[in-house]
Amino acid sequence: MTTASNEIITLLDQQKQLLDELLLSLRQEIAALASRDIAALESILTQKTAQLQQLQQNDALLAACADITEQKQQTWFKQKVAGLDARLEECKRQNDINQQTLEQSQLTLARFKTELLASRGKSGLTYTNKGKPAVENKGKGIKA
């Protein structure tokens, strides 16, 4: 193998490691969503951003390799890329699960807010021009 081949193998191995770390971050994210741990979510977001940037940088380095076109035809290259694609699909699935969890959580909070508003002021419950529930507090009227 040439030096360029070794560089490509190293970059592909780094991509696998980064995808493994990203998948772990996504799994930690769903745990933080479940426990509503805002500090952990912020930390995980920072980690995910750094991991995605590093993945992007490695992709650019791979594309810039001298004999990448030749190496793409090699069996070992195709096997490594297939493994990376499978790991990337796992990350995408986990990200979709996290997104659905977050959306359901937001819907639950919106319903809870509506129930609170309704119980707080049934007579003054109205809706804004955007269809959001609101309580109208006009007081008991004007006294002269």
Side-chain angles (χ1 to χ4, degrees), residues 41-133:
L41 283 171
E42 289 173 352
S43 172
I44 292 167
L45 177 63
T46 304
Q47 282 178 344
K48 284 179 14 182
T49 302
Q51 291 161 347
L52 290 171
Q53 287 173 343
Q54 186 61 48
L55 281 166
Q56 197 172 30
Q57 288 172 356
N58 282 3
D59 278 344
L61 290 172
L62 273 168
C65 285
D67 63 344
I68 190 71
T69 307
E70 297 168 17
Q71 299 301 328
K72 283 183 179 180
Q73 306 307 315
Q74 301 296 322
T75 305
W76 64 266
F77 185 90
K78 291 177 182 177
Q79 289 173 343
K80 283 192 174 281
V81 170
L84 291 173
D85 286 341
R87 185 53 53 118
L88 183 61
E89 284 304 313
E90 279 184 69
C91 289
K92 287 180 180 179
R93 272 194 304 275
Q94 186 64 49
N95 194 52
D96 289 343
I97 290 168
N98 292 4
Q99 179 183 357
Q100 289 174 350
T101 302
L102 182 60
E103 288 171 356
Q104 288 299 318
S105 179
Q106 288 174 332
L107 287 172
T108 302
L109 286 174
R111 274 189 242 124
F112 183 64
K113 178 184 172 188
T114 303
E115 290 299 319
L116 280 176
L117 289 173
S119 68
R120 203 171 104 204
K122 284 195 183 255
S123 62
L125 183 63
T126 61
Y127 292 90
T128 65
N129 60 355
K130 295 185 181 195
K132 305 273 185 199

